Amino acid sequence: MRVAVAKYPIGMPASFDDFARRQEACLRQARELGARIAVLPEYLSLELAAGFSPEVHGDLAASLAAIQAWRGAWCEFYGRLARELDMYLVPGTFLLDVGSGRYRNRADWFAPNGVHGWQDKLQLTGYEKQSGIIEPGDALHGFDCDGHRVGIAVCYDVEFPLPVRAQFEAGIRLLLVPSCTDTAAGATRVRIGCLARALENRFFVAQAVTAGEAPWSPALDVNTGEATLYAPMDHGFPADGILAATQGDALWACHEVDVARLELSRAQAQVDNDRDWPNQLVTTLQHWPEGLDAVAPRCEPASA
């Protein structure tokens, strides 16, 4: 199956209709590239706050409260587009009101057969914690896609190996990562996280990113990184683990993800990180005492 990940330039749509027109054009372009799955970046829903007054879109709490009015339209729009384009869509994330003034950073999954699933972000960044209104999710989910299992790790979540390992052990062989980073350090952390998860689980990782500047939004202000598709660094795959990546103003990175070939390649693997995973769990730390006499006899010179 062919997967497309977006390097999406943040805009300032005046209305939901403006937002939807641009989204449809972008996703139709992914379909023309042959994509079966298309992934847009984290925090995409906050672009909708641009249609409100500066007092609203310049304040995170006010922005999140305002965009809830578009939640129904969001789900209807992407659900319809998934059916029309015959594609699986992950339209970034929607900060969803879950009651008591709290929001979850939710990545929706829309399938062409009408299935609507989601994955909430599990780990919060410092910015999200400091907001005081965003809470973490509490469950991992997997999705069926053309006979394969697909999972989602929202941005920071890909930097944590154990939840991703649980997804791998549940049969997931493609991990989708909608992300949003505003510094070079943040972009590097997510990129290295994606590479590490592809290495240790021997599966594919697909990362979408935000691009450009949106000074009107406290969450979307500055954006860095390249949309990238990652593979294990082993026989049959690129040595650097990069299947495809955006450059310059390119909107999509798109590449074929062959899960069957991935499974067959395990027999010729140079390393078996995925299968050797349990070995690390029995490792114990033994303290090496200070002082040479405590750990080994003195070496005596050889007799003449």
Side-chain angles (χ1 to χ4, degrees):
M1 57 186 167
R2 199 162 174 82
V3 180
V5 286
K7 179 183 178 181
Y8 181 82
I10 296 300
M12 200 173 180
S15 66
F16 187 89
D17 287 344
D18 288 343
F19 172 85
R21 278 191 289 271
R22 184 183 181 208
Q23 288 294 300
E24 183 163 354
C26 289
L27 290 167
R28 287 191 181 279
Q29 182 179 339
R31 191 71 184 94
E32 289 168 4
L33 293 171
R36 181 66 166 154
I37 301 175
V39 187
L40 289 157
E42 183 186 27
Y43 285 152
L44 179 65
S45 61
L46 281 173
E47 200 181 58
L48 290 168
F52 296 93
S53 69
E55 291 75 21
V56 171
H57 64 58
D59 178 83
L60 178 63
S63 293
L64 297 186
I67 66 173
Q68 302 309 307
W70 298 120
R71 176 60 180 174
W74 171 281
C75 293
E76 189 282 328
F77 169 71
Y78 286 111
R80 174 183 61 80
L81 210 54
R83 294 190 298 273
E84 288 183 3
L85 297 178
D86 192 28
M87 292 174 68
Y88 296 89
L89 304 180
V90 178
T93 65
F94 192 104
L95 280 294
L96 182 65
D97 185 349
V98 291
S100 302
R102 309 284 287 180
Y103 300 86
R104 287 196 178 185
N105 195 355
R106 176 161 295 182
D108 291 296
W109 166 268
F110 294 98
N113 65 358
V115 169
H116 173 207
W118 61 82
Q119 175 64 60
D120 291 336
K121 189 173 187 176
L122 303 178
Q123 297 287 344
L124 302 186
T125 63
Y127 174 79
E128 290 166 329
K129 291 174 184 175
Q130 291 162 15
S131 75
I133 57 175
I134 299 175
E135 68 173 43
D138 54 13
L140 284 168
H141 302 281
F143 313 96
D144 292 325
C145 176
D146 294 345
H148 304 297
R149 296 285 283 169
V150 176
I152 298 173
V154 179
C155 199
Y156 189 34
D157 284 348
V158 81
E159 298 177 37
F160 293 86
L162 296 184
V164 175
R165 181 65 186 187
Q167 291 172 303
F168 169 80
E169 291 179 350
I172 285 165
R173 294 298 178 264
L174 169 63
L175 186 69
L176 309 178
V177 183
S179 71
C180 175
T181 55
D182 62 353
T183 66
T188 298
R189 288 191 296 266
V190 178
R191 176 175 59 84
I192 296 300
C194 290
L195 277 168
R197 304 297 83 80
L199 166 67
E200 61 202 22
N201 296 298
R202 195 174 176 83
F203 67 3
F204 298 108
V205 181
Q207 178 197 2
V209 302
T210 47
E213 297 185 2
W216 54 269
S217 169
L220 296 173
D221 49 358
V222 179
N223 302 279
T224 60
E226 299 291 344
T228 308
L229 289 111
Y230 304 88
M233 294 124 266
D234 210 324
H235 282 315
F237 301 103
D240 62 359
I242 307 299
L243 292 172
T246 54
Q247 292 183 342
D249 295 331
L251 173 60
W252 295 103
C254 193
H255 202 277
E256 188 72 22
V257 169
D258 190 337
V259 176
R261 177 171 162 244
L262 174 74
E263 298 296 345
L264 288 172
S265 74
R266 293 179 193 276
Q268 290 80 40
Q270 295 169 314
V271 292
D272 295 316
N273 300 71
D274 56 323
R275 286 173 289 191
D276 289 336
W277 178 274
N279 296 344
Q280 67 184 312
L281 304 179
V282 298
T283 302
T284 57
L285 175 66
Q286 295 185 0
H287 182 65
W288 199 268
E290 184 178 359
L292 183 61
D293 289 338
V295 298
R298 291 184 181 277
C299 294
E300 300 294 339
S303 57

